[in-house]
Amino acid sequence: MADSSITVGYQILVWAVGVSFLAGFLINAFIVAVNISEWKKGRPMSTADKVITSLGISRMVFQVLCLLNIIRDIYFYRRSSLFFVSVAYLELTSVYSSIWLSTLLSVVFCLKISTLHNAFFLRLKIFVLNRVSCLITGSVMVYLSYILIVSLIARFAISNNSTRGTYNNLFLGLSISAHIFLISGPVLIYFISSVLLIIHLYRHMSQMRSERNTSHLDIYHKTIKFTGFSLLCSTVYILIEQTDSYCYNVFGLLGCYFFWQIFPTLHSIYLIYVTTKLRIQVSNMVHKLRRRCGDPKAPVETVFQ
């Protein structure tokens, strides 16, 4: 009885992980497809849309690579093929890229919404908003370069029978630099930009209440909730990435990957909810699906013009 219950529980966990991976991939693919289709129609893509599209692609890659890593760890754990080694390194690249792109999205929102007028803020706003594409490309290239350097050092150390101490010293130096510049830096920027945005919106809401102007308070409330939720999801995502061995021992392989990828998926769902363009597309898709299913309650005209 105990073995059968463990088997059933494991099968349920496998199905839950599989469904969550599929849902996350489709949700991010939807975000990317909508933004690209709008761009192909000749409509200009805003700076926020560029970051959101890049973040969606990064999360799609992360979902696929995590699934491949699970397959490797379950069925091919004794093999060390070049394909699965490349998958592991690309997974790290997608993880770090997602952290930087989430940080860049928070900075873009902070710069676009905040109304500070000092010289430094205005110069920073012009620099970031006019060079978003370069910042996106640069962040991805930095992480690809870092992962490539680590892989080359590992390959060189193994092929030349280098001493374990030499390899550990090189890897420790790269790990420390990566932790400072590739993780701690983005986390600090993300936290500062999110807190500044929340403080600015809260002060603006207080001023509006004192002037008895309540016309846009609901929008500010939604923005504060989204900013706080984004910060929470990114924090949990980074904590799981930094404590992956501990999470593996506590939750197991499938549980660790489930919690690791569920928070980016929840953030993407919330992003669809707060973005008017994406929310309209979801409503139209639901409307068309109801009409195809022959729902008599579905209206004949489109939901949004």
Side-chain angles (χ1 to χ4, degrees):
M1 287 294 293
D3 292 338
S4 62
S5 62
I6 293 175
T7 303
V8 172
Y10 182 78
Q11 291 177 351
I12 293 175
L13 181 60
V14 169
W15 276 102
V17 172
V19 170
S20 65
F21 273 113
L22 179 61
F25 181 84
L26 293 177
I27 289 168
N28 289 294
F30 169 78
I31 294 174
V32 174
V34 170
N35 287 329
I36 291 179
S37 64
E38 293 289 323
W39 174 68
K40 282 188 174 182
K41 292 177 183 177
R43 298 172 184 173
M45 187 178 290
S46 65
T47 53
D49 287 338
K50 291 178 182 179
V51 182
I52 290 171
T53 303
S54 303
L55 182 60
I57 294 173
S58 176
R59 286 175 175 174
M60 288 170 60
V61 173
F62 172 71
Q63 299 278 351
V64 174
L65 294 176
C66 284
L67 188 59
L68 290 175
N69 263 333
I70 289 177
I71 295 174
R72 180 202 63 179
D73 291 338
I74 294 177
Y75 299 104
F76 305 100
Y77 62 95
R78 292 183 179 178
R79 300 181 183 180
S80 180
S81 64
L82 179 62
F83 173 74
F84 287 116
V85 172
S86 302
V87 166
Y89 286 126
L90 288 175
E91 180 187 352
L92 288 177
T93 304
S94 66
V95 169
Y96 292 143
S97 299
S98 296
I99 294 172
W100 257 111
L101 291 172
S102 299
T103 302
L104 183 58
L105 181 62
S106 177
V107 171
V108 167
F109 283 156
C110 180
L111 294 176
K112 293 184 71 173
I113 296 175
S114 300
T115 56
L116 299 176
H117 297 292
N118 61 74
F120 173 77
F121 181 83
L122 293 177
R123 289 180 182 178
L124 180 64
K125 184 175 183 178
I126 294 172
F127 175 81
V128 172
L129 297 184
N130 290 338
R131 292 173 176 81
V132 166
S133 299
C134 297
L135 292 173
I136 293 171
T137 306
S139 63
V140 176
M141 293 304 298
V142 165
Y143 289 115
L144 279 174
S145 302
Y146 168 74
I147 298 301
L148 180 61
I149 291 173
V150 172
S151 62
L152 289 176
I153 289 177
R155 186 179 181 85
F156 178 80
I158 294 172
S159 60
N160 291 279
N161 295 323
S162 300
T163 62
R164 188 69 179 174
T166 303
Y167 175 73
N168 286 340
N169 290 334
L170 289 172
F171 191 76
L172 179 62
L174 284 171
S175 299
I176 293 174
S177 62
H179 185 77
I180 294 174
F181 296 105
L182 305 184
I183 299 176
S184 300
V187 169
L188 183 61
I189 295 172
Y190 197 122
F191 179 79
I192 292 174
S193 60
S194 299
V195 171
L196 286 177
L197 180 58
I198 292 174
I199 291 174
H200 171 76
L201 291 174
Y202 181 78
R203 287 182 176 178
H204 196 63
M205 289 171 59
S206 300
Q207 183 180 359
M208 291 176 64
R209 288 195 186 98
S210 64
E211 297 174 355
R212 297 183 179 180
N213 181 9
T214 60
S215 55
H216 300 289
L217 286 179
D218 185 54
I219 298 176
Y220 291 122
H221 276 297
K222 289 181 178 179
T223 306
I224 291 176
K225 290 179 182 178
F226 173 74
T227 305
F229 184 77
S230 301
L231 183 60
L232 173 64
C233 289
S234 296
T235 302
V236 175
Y237 178 76
I238 294 169
L239 285 176
I240 293 176
E241 191 276 332
Q242 291 294 294
T243 59
D244 54 347
S245 9
Y246 175 77
C247 293
Y248 180 83
N249 293 329
V250 174
F251 302 109
L253 174 68
L254 294 177
C256 180
Y257 272 104
F258 175 79
F259 288 110
W260 198 14
Q261 59 85 34
I262 195 66
F263 286 96
T265 301
L266 293 175
H267 180 262
S268 297
I269 294 173
Y270 206 157
L271 191 62
I272 293 174
Y273 172 73
V274 299
T275 307
T276 304
K277 175 175 59 178
L278 299 174
R279 191 170 64 248
I280 288 174
Q281 292 295 331
V282 171
S283 299
N284 287 335
M285 289 174 59
V286 172
H287 166 71
K288 291 178 182 179
L289 182 62
R290 290 176 63 187
R291 289 189 63 186
R292 286 185 180 181
C293 294
D295 189 352
K297 296 182 180 180
V300 177
E301 68 277 1
T302 58
V303 178
F304 296 95
Q305 298 296 332

